[in-house]
Amino acid sequence: MRHIIFGGDGFVGRHLAPKLLADGEEVVVADINKSDLPHYGKMRFVRCDVTDPASVAAVGIKSDDMVYNLSAKMLSPIQVRAKRHEFFWPVNYYGAEHIMLAMAKVDAPRLVHFTTDMIYGHTVVYPMTEEHPVGPLGEYGLSKLKTEELVEEWRTRGMRISLFRPRLIIGRGRLGILEKLFKLIDWNLPVPMIGSGKNPYQFISVFDCAEAARLAWKANVPNEAYNLGSLNPPPVRKLLGDLIRHAGSKSFLLPTPAWAVKRTLDLLDLVHMPLMDPEQYLIADEMCVLDVTKGKRDLGWVPQYRDGDMLIAAYSEYRAKKHGKAVAAPKHVPAE
């Protein structure tokens, strides 16, 4: 079988592609960028801009292909309010639409599509199952929610589409907003928390995301949505405290009144000086934990990486990069 990965040069795609190769599958990566990755010698690469329908069509999807859409604009780098719509929508919504239209033209029915847990917005029910009410708090989450509505339309026309809603994906090659945290720790400065830090914070490993996509293919692409998150996420203050101790830093955790911090960040966002995206800070003190039991039941997927280990691995990469050293591949750490 041939597997086409749109956005395959990105964070999840560069881990999914080797997995599929190891299964003996034919892989095509379609992306606007091409990094120096060793597995490109064993697969075909097609330069593709998903915002251009003709570019998507030129990839040459066939009816029996397995398609993955991993192309996306993320919350990092932070965008000013006035530019968020034009930043997120061309790739996140219209790119997804172009891929689904190209599939429909050749009767290719199978797609794995990544959205985000940001479609949920504020926590209403804890833990958050896939049936949690949706209410995105910004353009990123809204652009992803609208692609899920597209998915529902194409399912009624015969497509089989598995949706994945990951928490913050971390792993080798992505720092994003974590870089600000790591700088504070390196400079021995106080690390402010939005709220008391008693609420848990949940990551998901890039390796676990890639395995979820692979297992969806193996399970014949269920017409379902699946949360992706770690097991047993610790409270924020434990997560950050353990990192500070690991780093040997003199930093200390600084609890803050969440309402005051959020209003301050709202003001900075309003005057086009955002420190965080509202979709990040508005839920920072909430019990935002995804229930991932559905993925285990349907796909046999169980997350294999712990939040604290993932954060320390990301910090180690930051330090290595800062000092111009290569970082070793992270070790496999089973989940609790």
Side-chain angles (χ1 to χ4, degrees):
M1 178 180 292
R2 191 171 71 155
H3 299 252
I4 298 179
I5 311 174
F6 287 93
D9 195 74
F11 195 42
V12 176
R14 63 181 55 195
H15 295 284
L16 174 60
K19 278 181 171 286
L20 297 173
L21 279 177
D23 285 331
E25 302 297 312
E26 179 184 356
V27 179
V28 176
V29 167
D31 203 304
I32 198 168
N33 298 311
K34 185 180 183 183
S35 303
D36 184 18
L37 300 174
H39 57 253
Y40 282 150
K42 302 176 183 178
M43 65 181 64
R44 180 180 166 220
F45 177 88
V46 181
R47 202 165 298 277
C48 175
D49 179 355
V50 297
T51 67
D52 178 5
S55 184
V56 173
V59 173
I61 300 172
K62 298 177 182 178
S63 61
D64 57 350
D65 287 338
M66 178 69 224
V67 181
Y68 306 80
N69 181 20
L70 307 178
S71 59
K73 288 289 190 179
M74 311 302 291
L75 284 172
S76 180
I78 301 297
Q79 302 296 309
V80 297
R81 180 181 297 193
K83 295 184 177 180
R84 285 174 192 151
H85 184 88
E86 66 184 65
F87 180 76
F88 293 119
W89 284 73
V91 172
N92 292 0
Y93 179 81
Y94 293 107
E97 183 179 48
H98 296 156
I99 291 168
M100 293 177 206
L101 285 169
M103 292 175 63
K105 287 180 180 178
V106 297
D107 294 322
R110 292 169 298 183
L111 172 67
V112 166
H113 178 65
F114 273 64
T115 63
T116 175
D117 71 308
M118 292 291 182
I119 68 167
Y120 295 130
H122 290 297
T123 304
V124 177
V125 179
Y126 172 84
M128 306 164 94
T129 69
E130 290 81 359
E131 286 69 46
H132 189 282
V134 294
L137 302 173
E139 293 290 343
Y140 171 67
L142 183 59
S143 68
K144 290 290 195 174
L145 176 60
K146 290 301 180 181
T147 68
E148 292 209 6
E149 294 177 5
L150 276 178
V151 163
E152 287 301 324
E153 291 179 20
W154 285 110
R155 282 173 173 169
T156 63
R157 303 181 197 183
M159 279 192 184
R160 300 188 60 81
I161 306 177
S162 294
L163 287 169
F164 287 111
R165 300 168 181 164
R167 284 291 282 158
L168 178 63
I169 305 173
I170 67 172
R172 184 175 179 180
R174 174 186 282 179
L175 294 176
I177 195 172
L178 294 176
E179 191 163 0
K180 295 179 181 179
L181 166 66
F182 297 157
K183 285 180 179 179
L184 291 176
I185 292 173
D186 263 10
W187 296 338
N188 298 302
L189 294 175
V191 177
M193 300 178 294
I194 299 178
S196 66
K198 294 180 180 179
N199 60 301
Y201 196 89
Q202 185 182 37
F203 296 121
I204 182 64
S205 165
V206 65
F207 303 105
D208 287 328
C209 287
E211 180 63 5
R214 174 184 168 274
L215 289 174
W217 157 58
K218 289 286 190 180
N220 197 28
V221 196
N223 264 331
E224 298 288 346
Y226 298 100
N227 289 333
L228 297 180
S230 64
L231 299 178
N232 307 313
V236 170
R237 59 186 182 184
K238 174 172 173 50
L239 190 65
L240 299 182
D242 288 350
L243 176 61
I244 290 170
R245 285 188 287 275
H246 170 83
S249 171
K250 296 179 181 178
S251 293
F252 60 90
L253 300 178
L254 183 64
T256 63
W259 65 270
V261 174
K262 291 179 185 181
R263 297 298 77 77
T264 301
L265 292 173
D266 278 341
L267 179 61
L268 290 171
D269 190 57
L270 188 63
V271 298
H272 306 297
M273 297 173 60
L275 296 181
M276 297 174 67
D277 191 283
E279 296 187 68
Q280 297 168 320
Y281 65 75
L282 288 176
I283 62 172
D285 61 331
E286 295 183 7
M287 301 289 283
C288 298
V289 174
L290 301 184
D291 184 315
V292 299
T293 55
K294 184 179 177 182
K296 179 179 181 180
R297 184 184 70 238
D298 290 6
L299 308 176
W301 176 82
V302 179
Q304 296 296 304
Y305 294 82
R306 294 190 293 257
D307 297 275
D309 296 314
M310 286 188 269
L311 189 60
I312 287 173
Y315 176 75
S316 297
E317 180 187 4
Y318 162 79
R319 291 285 299 175
K321 182 178 178 183
K322 181 179 177 181
H323 294 289
K325 299 177 182 177
V327 62
K331 293 174 66 177
H332 180 275
V333 183
E336 296 175 347

